[in-house]
């Protein structure tokens, strides 16, 4: 039987496993129940398994025939602090936690790939590292696993790495999407506190008004983005928090705001940090207030290797047909800590539409929504793609 036929044969088992993960999501770097369930699902397979020192990661190495490349496959495992409102009969049972980004599918697919690779081990020319990662949702779990040695888990550095992410909207069910080069943005945070001197709202000339200053700062940052950055290397700055005062007739002493910053190249990312600080300090000086600036760099842009992405595309076409594949014309403004892996080794990243039948992808609720739905129908295809990428990439020509 082919890899895909084997995957279809285990479809019911994969669905049951995904539902188990979905019922008990965990958030962050420590996912003890999820880790235990992954280890149980891998039990009996000819894998060399280690767990993280400080986080609930699982790394499994499958040895191939030797002489071929070493490949890493990654599946993230963590959920989100979201109260589920899907109405599914396998909905989260843990209150304010939900697998709202489909990581339960990723984990299940990677377990499926492990079983498929073990069943087709005779085709495996090199080693495969299976990276079950916690803490993708803002905890930088990939960086921690890289620091703990996941890229050298087989005894040598991996030659290529591949990741996959499901979408609950935008892409039709079963549609694979890729992009060579920058596929996802960097994600940084800007936190600003302004301190002046408060007073009566009727006499602002006797104060140093932080509200007026912070309002101008926000407007100036937005103007800077449109005037100092190339529109073809875009920057997105969105203010999500803004706090000042408690009474309409009192000018407060302090005001704060926080913003998310998305950039698509290392150059724009660094320039945005520098120019933001310059603008904020200039506005503060004009208003005679003090400003505290904290620019927190998060995940870098997710940049795929051109040749590895071409290989991924060919594999998708051979397995499922060209009609199941789409090349994104532009990067996505989301971010991913798989960027940590792709900054170290060449590889590819694949999106997979998981919109249930009967729902319009253009209007479906997107990832992170409490009503986001992901269709079990894509589990076998995702596991197949993971496995075939490893089998083909490690193949040794005679």
């Amino acid at each position: 039987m082919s890899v895909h036929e084997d995957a279809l044969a285990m479809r019911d088992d994969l669905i049951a496993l995904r539902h188990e993960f979905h019922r008990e999501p965990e958030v962050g770097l420590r996912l003890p129940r999820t880790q235990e369930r992954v280890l149980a699902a891998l039990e009996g397979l000819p894998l060399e398994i280690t767990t993280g020192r400080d986080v609930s990661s699982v790394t499994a190495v499958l040895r191939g025939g030797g002489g071929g490349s070493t490949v890493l496959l990654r599946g993230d495992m963590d959920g989100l602090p979201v109260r589920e409102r899907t109405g599914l009969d396998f909905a989260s049972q843990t209150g304010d936690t939900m697998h709202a980004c489909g990581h339960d599918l990723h984990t299940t697919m990677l377990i499926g790939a492990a079983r498929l690779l073990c069943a087709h081990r005779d085709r495996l020319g090199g080693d495969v590292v299976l990276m079950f990662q916690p803490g993708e949702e803002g905890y930088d779990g990939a960086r921690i696993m890289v620091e703990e040695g996941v890229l050298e888990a087989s005894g040598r550095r991996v030659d290529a790495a591949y990741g996959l992410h499901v979408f609950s909207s935008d892409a039709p069910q079963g549609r694979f999407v890729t992009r060579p080069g920058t596929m996802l943005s960097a994600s940084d945070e800007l936190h600003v506190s302004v301190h002046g001197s408060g007073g009566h709202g009727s006499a602002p000339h006797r104060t140093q008004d932080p509200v007026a200053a912070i309002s101008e700062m926000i407007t100036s940052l937005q103007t800077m983005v449109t005037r100092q950055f190339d529109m073809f290397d875009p920057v997105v700055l969105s203010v999500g928090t803004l706090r000042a005062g408690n009474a309409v007739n009192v000018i407060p002493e302090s005001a704060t705001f926080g913003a998310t910053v998305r950039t698509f190249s290392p150059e724009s990312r660094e320039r945005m940090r520098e120019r933001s600080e310059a603008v904020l300090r200039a506005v503060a000086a004009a208003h005679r207030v003090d400003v505290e600036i904290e620019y927190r760099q998060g995940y870098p842009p997710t940049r795929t290797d051109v040749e590895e992405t071409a290989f991924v595309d060919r594999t998708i076409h051979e397995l499922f047909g060209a009609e199941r594949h789409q090349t994104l014309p532009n990067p996505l403004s989301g971010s991913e800590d798989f960027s940590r892996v792709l900054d170290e080794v060449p590889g590819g990243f694949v999106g997979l539409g998981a919109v249930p039948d009967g729902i319009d992808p253009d209007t479906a609720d997107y990832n992170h929504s409490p009503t986001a739905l992901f269709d079990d129908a894509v589990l076998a295809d995702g596991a197949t793609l993971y496995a075939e990428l490893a089998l083909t990439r490690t193949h040794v020509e005679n």
Side-chain angles (χ1 to χ4, degrees), residues 28-29 31 55-57 77-78 132-136 141-142 145 337:
L29 296 169
L31 320 174
V55 300
S56 298
S57 61
M77 304 187 293
D78 55 321
F132 293 90
Q133 180 212 311
E136 191 280 328
M145 289 193 71
D337 72 349

Side-chain angles (χ1 to χ4, degrees), residues 190-196 210-211 213-215 217-218 239-245 252-259 280 290-292:
L190 175 62
H191 296 269
V192 178
S193 298
V194 176
H195 307 285
V211 177
I214 212 164
S215 299
M217 287 174 179
I218 293 170
V239 174
T241 63
L242 178 60
R243 299 183 179 90
E253 291 187 343
S254 300
T256 65
F257 77 87
L280 292 167
D290 296 323
V291 62
E292 297 176 4

Side-chain angles (χ1 to χ4, degrees), residues 67-324:
S69 300
T70 299
V71 168
L72 180 144
L73 305 174
R74 179 270 213 158
D76 41 4
M77 304 187 293
D78 55 321
L80 283 156
V82 172
R83 179 174 286 274
E84 184 165 354
R85 293 193 287 107
T86 61
L88 295 170
D89 59 5
F90 57 92
S92 172
Q93 299 175 352
T94 59
D96 293 331
T97 309
M98 174 188 174
H99 269 299
C101 203
H103 296 186
D104 51 332
L105 282 84
H106 305 164
T107 305
T108 303
M109 290 172 178
L110 192 55
I111 290 169
R115 295 172 178 176
L116 293 170
L117 288 167
C118 291
H120 293 264
R121 194 176 181 184
D122 58 317
R123 286 182 50 198
L124 195 60
D127 299 335
V128 180
V129 178
L130 304 171
M131 176 182 177
F132 293 90
Q133 180 212 311
E136 191 280 328
E137 296 289 356
Y139 292 84
D140 217 351
R143 175 186 58 80
I144 295 171
M145 289 193 71
V146 169
E147 291 174 352
E148 290 192 351
V150 70
L151 299 181
E152 295 81 25
S154 71
R156 52 164 291 186
R157 194 170 181 83
V158 300
D159 298 293
Y162 307 103
L164 184 151
H165 206 298
V166 293
F167 300 145
S168 65
S169 67
D170 292 347
Q173 184 196 109
R175 174 77 58 82
F176 294 93
V177 295
T178 61
R179 190 176 193 276
T182 301
M183 184 171 178
L184 297 165
S185 73
S187 176
D188 300 324
E189 295 181 7
L190 175 62
H191 296 269
V192 178
S193 298
V194 176
H195 307 285
S197 60
H200 202 291
S202 67
H205 61 288
R206 295 184 176 180
T207 71
Q208 293 168 300
D209 188 352
V211 177
I214 212 164
S215 299
E216 185 173 331
M217 287 174 179
I218 293 170
T219 301
S220 296
L221 287 171
Q222 298 291 358
T223 302
M224 177 196 70
V225 165
T226 66
R227 291 297 176 265
Q228 298 188 33
F229 289 86
D230 188 341
M231 69 178 71
F232 297 108
D233 185 9
V235 172
V236 177
L237 183 146
S238 296
V239 174
T241 63
L242 178 60
R243 299 183 179 90
N246 297 303
V248 297
N249 62 342
V250 178
I251 293 174
E253 291 187 343
S254 300
T256 65
F257 77 87
T260 183
V261 183
R262 307 290 169 137
T263 52
F264 295 87
S265 70
E267 296 76 18
S268 285
R269 189 187 193 197
E270 180 58 26
R271 191 158 181 263
M272 186 64 185
R273 185 188 64 78
E274 294 172 353
R275 294 306 303 152
S276 295
E277 183 170 338
V279 166
L280 292 167
R281 295 199 183 284
V283 174
H287 285 264
R288 299 179 300 120
V289 297
D290 296 323
V291 62
E292 297 176 4
I293 304 165
E294 183 179 7
Y295 201 99
R296 302 175 188 169
Q297 287 200 326
Y299 299 162
T302 301
R303 296 177 293 172
T304 67
D305 181 82
V306 173
E307 292 185 2
E308 293 294 345
T309 300
F311 161 65
V312 171
D313 295 351
R314 290 194 304 272
T315 304
I316 292 169
H317 293 183
E318 291 168 3
L319 285 171
F320 307 107
E323 68 278 2
R324 292 273 302 275

Side-chain angles (χ1 to χ4, degrees), residues 29-81:
L29 296 169
R30 291 170 179 81
L31 320 174
R33 294 189 304 276
T34 304
Q35 183 188 57
E36 182 180 1
R37 188 164 281 127
V38 169
L39 292 171
L42 299 177
E43 189 174 358
L45 297 177
L47 301 169
E48 301 169 14
I49 296 176
T50 56
T51 56
R53 293 190 298 271
D54 298 318
V55 300
S56 298
S57 61
V58 176
T59 301
V61 177
L62 177 62
R63 301 292 179 184
S69 300
T70 299
V71 168
L72 180 144
L73 305 174
R74 179 270 213 158
D76 41 4
M77 304 187 293
D78 55 321
L80 283 156

